[in-house]
Amino acid sequence: MNAMLETPELPAVFDGVKLAAVAAVLYVIVRCLNLKSPTAPPDLYFQDSGLSRFLLKSCPLLTKEYIPPLIWGKSGHIQTALYGKMGRVRSPHPYGHRKFITMSDGATSTFDLFEPLAEHCVGDDITMVICPGIANHSEKQYIRTFVDYAQKNGYRCAVLNHLGALPNIELTSPRMFTYGCTWEFGAMVNYIKKTYPLTQLVVVGFSLGGNIVCKYLGETQANQEKVLCCVSVCQGYSALRAQETFMQWDQCRRFYNFLMADNMKKIILSHRQALFGDHVKKPQSLEDTDLSRLYTATSLMQIDDNVMRKFHGYNSLKEYYEEESCMRYLHRIYVPLMLVNAADDPLVHESLLTIPKSLSGFDLGRSTSVNVYQENKLECHIHG
């Protein structure tokens, strides 16, 4: 009799469990998607100069509130996955010509050249020299979208294909692209200067490409000739400082590190004959045992230590990261420079942004900075 009396209460208990489960799922969704993250316009910090006034007048994006796409647009992870892997719904396919340059060590560098589709608004001949992110090239969707927009606004575009990144281009020397090697980018820029002697340059770099273009400009003042300005998007500035944060699980950086390392391994192994073949005159420090270590690598740091640094003869990973990071070259750049970072970038830790902040400080006497700290915003540091 007691059992019969208690039976009607069971559905109510079960409904409570379901309600709690639904509430838990909704809580996780809200947290993961950052749905409660506020939107706000950028906080601007700048010196009153002609450059800053021109930028604020001509770039309303710097002062407008950023409103991301509904539901998923406030999550840095989902934006990274959707735009990084899938691209936009309809990515354009700009038409260009592939150029080949033989480097002094026998490597074959390639870049794609896209002519403008309209006259530039000021009537000048301006070429954007673009360096993509890690293991990327001109055929990536975000690069195609950027180039298409630039062409339609009157810019010629030259896009570097990182050495070894294109699957249909074989390596012709035992070397591929590395974190801070500027040789191929410099060869592309020199080709543009010689072929179009009247053109002016806008230098653009994404992620790893941002490190390369800033390092290239800072290596010598001659590299800044005919350069109107430089824009670096979402780079980390110091690989030595970034390696510590890359091993942390905060913001899933360790997972992203593993995914990028896995992609790098596939690219290196696709060129194993050119890099590790018996007929190849490899760098003395690069041994066959490094290939076996490559198979077990689970992070970019392990790959850089066992393989990448040895292409240029560095004795240690610390030396490689210190010498190849653009942080030590930024103060030598005298053309206008904009460093752009997303505040919710899952790859670039907030501590790394102290580097551009220090560059854009008022004590330098010649810089403008735009700082934004809300999630899903941009942080820009304009110096020049």
Side-chain angles (χ1 to χ4, degrees), residues 40-44 54-68 149 338 340 370 372 376-380 382:
D43 294 328
L44 304 178
F54 172 77
L55 285 174
L56 293 177
K57 181 179 179 180
S58 59
C59 303
L61 185 66
L62 294 177
T63 55
K64 289 175 58 177
E65 178 181 5
Y66 171 66
I67 302 178
Y149 184 82
M338 175 179 282
V340 184
V370 182
V372 184
N376 308 300
K377 310 297 190 304
L378 293 180
E379 175 166 335
C380 309
I382 309 161

Side-chain angles (χ1 to χ4, degrees), residues 136-180:
N136 288 176
H137 44 74
S138 63
E139 297 175 10
K140 292 294 182 178
Q141 291 177 321
Y142 75 96
I143 295 294
R144 296 194 334 238
T145 302
F146 183 83
V147 167
D148 179 72
Y149 184 82
Q151 280 183 293
K152 292 176 179 176
N153 283 273
Y155 293 92
R156 179 186 299 107
C157 294
V159 183
L160 180 69
N161 300 312
H162 284 300
L163 201 64
L166 281 170
N168 59 336
I169 301 294
E170 296 291 336
L171 292 178
T172 56
S173 74
R175 177 176 68 85
M176 58 182 292
F177 77 92
T178 52
Y179 171 64

Side-chain angles (χ1 to χ4, degrees), residues 28-286:
V28 171
I29 291 176
V30 170
R31 287 296 301 272
C32 291
L33 296 181
N34 290 329
L35 295 182
K36 296 185 68 176
S37 175
T39 60
D43 294 328
L44 304 178
Y45 303 90
F46 57 89
Q47 292 181 347
D48 187 15
S49 66
L51 173 63
S52 61
R53 289 193 296 270
F54 172 77
L55 285 174
L56 293 177
K57 181 179 179 180
S58 59
C59 303
L61 185 66
L62 294 177
T63 55
K64 289 175 58 177
E65 178 181 5
Y66 171 66
I67 302 178
L70 293 174
I71 306 300
W72 57 268
K74 290 188 174 184
S75 170
H77 299 292
I78 295 181
Q79 289 192 55
T80 299
L82 287 179
Y83 288 131
K85 189 66 177 177
M86 298 172 56
R88 299 183 180 274
V89 177
R90 294 181 180 177
S91 295
H93 290 79
Y95 176 77
H97 297 279
R98 182 153 295 166
K99 304 295 182 179
F100 296 80
I101 300 177
T102 301
M103 308 297 293
S104 59
D105 65 345
T108 302
S109 176
T110 70
F111 70 92
D112 285 21
L113 187 62
F114 304 87
E115 292 296 334
L117 300 178
E119 184 177 353
H120 193 273
C121 62
V122 297
D124 291 344
D125 185 306
I126 302 177
T127 302
M128 284 191 176
V129 283
I130 303 166
C131 192
I134 183 170
N136 288 176
H137 44 74
S138 63
E139 297 175 10
K140 292 294 182 178
Q141 291 177 321
Y142 75 96
I143 295 294
R144 296 194 334 238
T145 302
F146 183 83
V147 167
D148 179 72
Y149 184 82
Q151 280 183 293
K152 292 176 179 176
N153 283 273
Y155 293 92
R156 179 186 299 107
C157 294
V159 183
L160 180 69
N161 300 312
H162 284 300
L163 201 64
L166 281 170
N168 59 336
I169 301 294
E170 296 291 336
L171 292 178
T172 56
S173 74
R175 177 176 68 85
M176 58 182 292
F177 77 92
T178 52
Y179 171 64
C181 179
T182 60
W183 299 349
E184 287 76 47
F185 185 77
M188 179 181 75
V189 171
N190 289 337
Y191 177 94
I192 295 299
K193 287 182 177 180
K194 291 178 181 179
T195 307
Y196 305 95
L198 299 180
T199 195
Q200 300 179 85
L201 304 178
V202 173
V203 179
V204 182
F206 295 92
S207 191
L208 172 140
N211 179 75
I212 289 177
V213 301
C214 289
K215 180 172 177 284
Y216 168 77
L217 291 177
E219 284 175 338
T220 170
Q221 193 165 349
N223 290 345
Q224 301 175 47
E225 294 177 359
K226 305 184 72 173
V227 173
L228 293 174
C229 62
C230 174
V231 181
S232 164
V233 182
C234 293
Q235 67 151 308
Y237 308 102
S238 171
L240 190 62
R241 289 169 57 173
Q243 68 170 333
E244 300 174 2
T245 67
F246 246 35
M247 297 303 291
Q248 300 170 356
W249 281 102
D250 178 48
Q251 290 292 314
C252 299
R253 276 186 296 276
R254 183 66 181 88
F255 178 65
Y256 284 109
N257 190 355
F258 173 80
L259 293 179
M260 290 190 292
D262 188 61
N263 185 52
M264 279 298 302
K265 285 163 62 174
K266 292 177 181 176
I267 294 175
I268 295 173
L269 292 174
S270 69
H271 297 290
R272 63 166 64 86
Q273 286 302 317
L275 298 174
F276 297 95
D278 295 334
H279 65 286
V280 175
K281 186 179 180 181
K282 302 184 289 291
Q284 292 183 352
S285 57
L286 191 62

